[in-house]
Amino acid sequence: MATSKRRSMPTRRELAIWRGYIETYDILRNRLEARLHQDSELSNGDYRVLLALSEAEEHTLRSSALAAHIEWERSRLSGHLGRMEKRGLVRREPCAEDARGSQVVLTEDGARAFRASTVPHLQAIKETFLDAFTDEQLDVLGEATTALRAHLGLPPVTAAGGSPRAGV
Amino acid sequence: MATSKRRSMPTRRELAIWRGYIETYDILRNRLEARLHQDSELSNGDYRVLLALSEAEEHTLRSSALAAHIEWERSRLSGHLGRMEKRGLVRREPCAEDARGSQVVLTEDGARAFRASTVPHLQAIKETFLDAFTDEQLDVLGEATTALRAHLGLPPVTAAGGSPRAGV
DNA sequence: CCCATTTGATTGACACGTGAATCATCGCTC
DNA sequence: GAGCGATGATTCACGTGTCAATCAAATGGG
């Protein structure tokens, strides 16, 4: 009788649910990323950076502010910005107030690319993910996610983005 | 009135659910991978390769059979095996029946590393993921995953692995 | 039997991610 | 105002993923 719940191994059913969750997610994410790339020549990372800059004052942010906003390591952002800069999506300028700093600016091309990508991307999210579920399933999914985030000690959903339309 | 359901944009609520799903997943996966790496010096990829070889006849598989089993691109597997071979986890031998082929063999070290990793890994899955939910939530999550897989045109859960204990 | 095609596997070029090391500047203290 | 620790950002080394190109061996049609 005595096997304690917390230290026991997953049952076969639990494992199946875990595997389903994890594997399906991977495929979903790959499909969406592929579609975004195909529609707009943008990666998920590009999209995230462009979204943040689009919503920023003057279409510009300090590098560290941007990193904090999208929750990336600084070195990750640095490398990514290098690639985006080569493609002309953003520009980096020395920072007036702090000579160490770097000011990331959305270029006209970057803004255009982002504008062109957002509607098809949101539609892809709807068609690929949201349309799979009934309304009740969506509710329940949301609750499960909330429970999982609490369990992991995470804040209750990223309020970020905020905009009515820009999502992800 | 006429806006058709399928082509409309996601609502704010839908987007929040999407974002929760995707972001929480990322964090979960990173934590589990970090823990596996910390406990056992293995990456997810390593684990998956070792699991497949452990369950294989004679602890060996043709490279292409292995790739098919774990659903990896051949080139991805090739690179990964190169790194694993350097660490002594697997060995590659020329293939008797087909001189083009390559036979991947689990080494004693590889088997040992896998054996040592599986129990803590499964416990981590339980503690990090499964313990977040009630039984009903788990059911519902399973159903949602099933619905999503169907929507994406995927087969109903990967029956693979099979073993009572080896999961993921 | 020979050659064209297919197939098994590797390689190369690149995008992406992490962590440690580096380096200049900033700002504080004396 | 000289020194020194904290901070902003980049760089390096590496692991990981994709796709196209390569290359040798297998194979089937004439």
Side-chain angles (χ1 to χ4, degrees):
Chain A
M1 279 303 84
T3 343
S4 100
K5 181 123 205 272
R6 306 218 78 250
R7 270 286 154 188
S8 59
M9 302 289 280
T11 64
R12 191 181 274 126
R13 159 177 167 272
E14 288 175 329
L15 261 188
I17 291 171
W18 157 255
R19 294 181 59 127
Y21 182 80
I22 211 80
E23 287 175 11
T24 308
Y25 165 89
D26 271 346
I27 293 166
L28 174 64
R29 165 172 263 253
N30 287 342
R31 289 214 190 164
L32 272 168
E33 170 127 30
R35 185 149 158 189
L36 176 61
H37 196 274
Q38 191 181 10
D39 288 349
S40 319
E41 302 267 310
L42 296 177
S43 70
N44 269 339
D46 298 335
Y47 189 88
R48 200 139 174 193
V49 168
L50 294 178
L51 169 57
L53 288 176
S54 291
E55 292 181 339
E57 204 74 15
E58 307 276 326
H59 283 185
T60 182
L61 282 173
R62 284 285 297 274
S63 187
S64 55
L66 176 54
H69 188 59
I70 63 181
E71 295 176 289
W72 280 12
E73 302 247 341
R74 254 111 63 33
S75 74
R76 176 181 179 185
L77 180 60
S78 189
H80 206 96
L81 287 178
R83 289 187 297 270
M84 290 180 75
E85 199 166 23
K86 264 197 291 196
R87 295 193 286 146
L89 299 171
V90 301
R91 203 167 2 104
R92 272 183 290 195
E93 297 175 348
C95 183
E97 314 91 66
D98 186 335
R100 292 166 302 184
S102 165
Q103 195 75 30
V104 185
V105 187
L106 184 62
T107 63
E108 204 29 66
D109 276 11
R112 188 163 29 244
F114 179 68
R115 270 197 308 275
S117 73
T118 146
V119 167
H121 185 50
L122 292 180
Q123 267 173 12
I125 290 170
K126 180 155 171 49
E127 288 165 21
T128 308
F129 179 74
L130 298 165
D131 284 349
F133 306 110
T134 65
D135 254 30
E136 300 79 46
Q137 277 179 319
L138 270 184
D139 275 343
V140 156
L141 247 187
E143 284 160 26
T145 299
T146 301
L148 180 54
R149 292 187 73 88
H151 185 70
L152 296 176
L154 299 172
V157 108
T158 315
S163 141
R165 44 157 258 316
V168 162
Chain B
M1 281 296 88
T3 342
S4 98
K5 181 124 204 278
R6 309 216 77 251
R7 271 286 155 187
S8 58
M9 302 288 281
T11 65
R12 192 182 272 126
R13 161 177 165 271
E14 288 175 330
L15 261 188
I17 291 172
W18 159 254
R19 293 182 60 127
Y21 182 80
I22 210 82
E23 287 175 11
T24 308
Y25 166 90
D26 271 347
I27 293 166
L28 174 64
R29 164 172 265 250
N30 288 343
R31 291 213 188 164
L32 272 167
E33 170 126 32
R35 184 149 162 191
L36 176 60
H37 195 275
Q38 191 180 12
D39 289 349
S40 318
E41 302 268 309
L42 295 177
S43 70
N44 269 339
D46 298 336
Y47 189 87
R48 198 137 177 199
V49 168
L50 294 178
L51 169 58
L53 287 176
S54 292
E55 292 181 339
E57 203 74 16
E58 308 276 326
H59 284 185
T60 182
L61 281 173
R62 283 285 298 274
S63 186
S64 55
L66 176 54
H69 189 58
I70 62 182
E71 295 175 290
W72 280 12
E73 303 246 340
R74 245 105 78 26
S75 74
R76 175 180 178 186
L77 180 60
S78 190
H80 206 96
L81 287 178
R83 290 187 297 270
M84 291 181 75
E85 199 166 23
K86 265 198 290 199
R87 295 192 286 145
L89 299 171
V90 301
R91 203 168 359 104
R92 273 183 288 195
E93 297 175 349
C95 182
E97 314 91 62
D98 186 333
R100 293 168 302 184
S102 166
Q103 196 75 28
V104 185
V105 187
L106 184 62
T107 62
E108 203 29 65
D109 276 10
R112 187 162 31 244
F114 179 69
R115 268 197 309 276
S117 73
T118 147
V119 166
H121 185 49
L122 292 180
Q123 267 172 14
I125 290 172
K126 181 156 172 48
E127 287 165 23
T128 308
F129 179 75
L130 297 166
D131 284 349
F133 307 109
T134 64
D135 253 30
E136 300 78 49
Q137 278 179 318
L138 270 184
D139 276 342
V140 156
L141 248 187
E143 283 160 26
T145 299
T146 301
L148 181 53
R149 292 185 74 87
H151 186 69
L152 296 176
L154 299 171
V157 108
T158 315
S163 140
R165 44 159 257 314
V168 166

